[in-house]
Amino acid sequence: MTVAGDLVQTQYGPVQVEITMRSGQITRARALARPSGDGQTDSINSYAIPQLVQETLAAQSARIDTVSGATFTSEGYRQSLQSALDAAHRAGA
C-alpha cells in the first residue's frame, strides 16, 4: 500500500512524503515535494532528504531526528510522514 502524506508548508517551501507499507512495515519513503528554488535550499535538501528517508526506514515511525541545518524541512517531513502513517493505518495497513 502506498500513501501520500499531507502537503506541509514550511518557511522555505512545501514538503510532502509518500510511504509504501507492506505487512505493517514501512518499506519505502520518498519526498514528493521538498523546498527548493535557491542554491542553498537545494544543497541543504540534497543531503537532508536522504537522511530523513533513512531515519524513517530505521525508526518505522515519525519519531525521527532533525537533520542539522534543515530544521524546517525536517519538521515538515515529520508532519507529512505522520499524516501518511495515519492514513495508512486508517486504510488497514
Side-chain angles (χ1 to χ4, degrees):
M1 163 185 304
T2 300
V3 181
D6 294 339
L7 185 68
V8 177
Q9 295 296 331
T10 73
Q11 183 173 331
Y12 295 99
V15 180
Q16 185 175 28
V17 178
E18 177 185 81
I19 58 170
T20 300
M21 296 193 70
R22 191 167 292 124
S23 302
Q25 298 290 307
I26 302 169
T27 58
R28 182 170 177 247
R30 69 184 186 115
L32 296 177
R34 66 175 77 187
S36 64
D38 66 65
Q40 184 175 3
T41 300
D42 292 342
S43 175
I44 288 169
N45 287 311
S46 71
Y47 77 82
I49 297 294
Q51 280 187 252
L52 292 164
V53 167
Q54 269 189 317
E55 292 233 3
T56 300
L57 297 174
Q60 290 293 309
S61 74
R63 290 187 297 278
I64 56 175
D65 292 333
T66 296
V67 174
S68 180
T71 304
F72 291 102
T73 296
S74 297
E75 184 56 36
Y77 182 97
R78 256 194 308 276
Q79 288 178 29
S80 184
L81 174 58
Q82 186 60 59
S83 70
L85 287 165
D86 292 346
H89 291 302
R90 280 193 302 272

